[in-house]
Amino acid sequence: MDSSLGLNIFTILFLAGTFLAALVAGLGGFAFGIVAAGIWLYILTPLQTASLIMGLGLVVQGYSVWKLRHALSWRRLAPLLVGTALGVPLGVFMLAHADPHYLRYGTGAVLVLFSLYGLLRPTLTPIKAAAMAGDLGAGFLNGVLGGATGLAGIVTVIWCQLRGWTKDQQRAVFQPVGVATFAMSAAWLGGQGAISREIIRLFVVALPVVLVGTWLGLKFYGRLDEAQFRKVVLILLLASGAVLLVG
């Protein structure tokens, strides 16, 4: 194959995956890593993929958080952030030293079962009792999964659904937690020397595409009502779980 043709195919696949992932994340508030990895892993190494998901995901989530800053509540955020900070180092250790396949398969099964249950059952009873302990636990599991796979925010998304918050309240919780997870994971990886020049180059190339895709996704999000947003979240969780199981 001609080298220039191969380079063009690489660029097209990389930027197409980047745009689609940013669009979906802008719409639903998460799933950037799932969508991006579904395409990037054909052309990038797992470490490159995880590193770029963390770096570009930080941009996607940060931009979205800024747009939804009116709904931020530190009272809701604090325990989830503390739990995440405790879980990320363990997740990064697993990424570097262990086979994360079992974690991915287990997470995929939980996502599929939860989303199917939510789609088949119109409403869920919001969790009120022992909410602080649940917030800390959800944050810790979120940090472990984010550090190990780059899938920041997935556990927090489920927890926000169970808490019964409005769509803006949910996104003003799980997206800042996603930002923190990406930032902490990237810092731990960078401290271990895992961020190469090639990863930095790909990050710079993808940045404009990420911003455009996120902006467009947020435009679509603004047109959703509460029921439609809940259905979008559950469908994205179902797709994410299916990808983890078959991947």
Side-chain angles (χ1 to χ4, degrees), residues 17-27 32 60 209-215 217:
T18 301
F19 176 79
L20 184 60
L23 178 67
V24 170
L27 173 63
F32 178 85
V60 172
V209 178
V210 163
L211 293 174
V212 172
T214 305
W215 174 82

Side-chain angles (χ1 to χ4, degrees), residues 98-227:
D99 184 349
H101 284 91
Y102 293 118
L103 178 62
R104 294 175 67 89
Y105 292 148
T107 302
V110 171
L111 293 180
V112 168
L113 291 173
F114 173 82
S115 55
L116 286 176
Y117 177 80
L119 288 168
L120 294 174
R121 178 177 175 136
T123 58
L124 295 171
T125 302
I127 292 177
K128 302 294 184 183
M132 177 67 73
D135 289 346
L136 286 168
F140 178 78
L141 293 176
N142 182 76
V144 172
L145 184 64
T149 66
L151 305 177
I154 290 289
V155 177
T156 315
V157 170
I158 293 178
W159 185 244
C160 288
Q161 287 275 299
L162 293 174
R163 297 285 264 127
W165 293 323
T166 67
K167 67 170 191 170
D168 280 0
Q169 287 174 337
Q170 288 186 52
R171 289 194 64 160
V173 169
F174 67 68
Q175 292 209 253
V177 172
V179 170
T181 307
F182 280 129
M184 286 184 280
S185 299
W188 276 91
L189 280 174
Q192 296 179 11
I195 308 299
S196 66
R197 289 186 178 181
E198 177 64 12
I199 290 175
I200 295 174
R201 185 187 71 82
L202 290 172
F203 176 89
V204 173
V205 169
L207 191 56
V209 178
V210 163
L211 293 174
V212 172
T214 305
W215 174 82
L216 187 58
L218 282 167
K219 288 291 184 182
F220 291 140
Y221 166 76
R223 300 178 182 179
L224 299 177
D225 60 27
E226 296 292 340

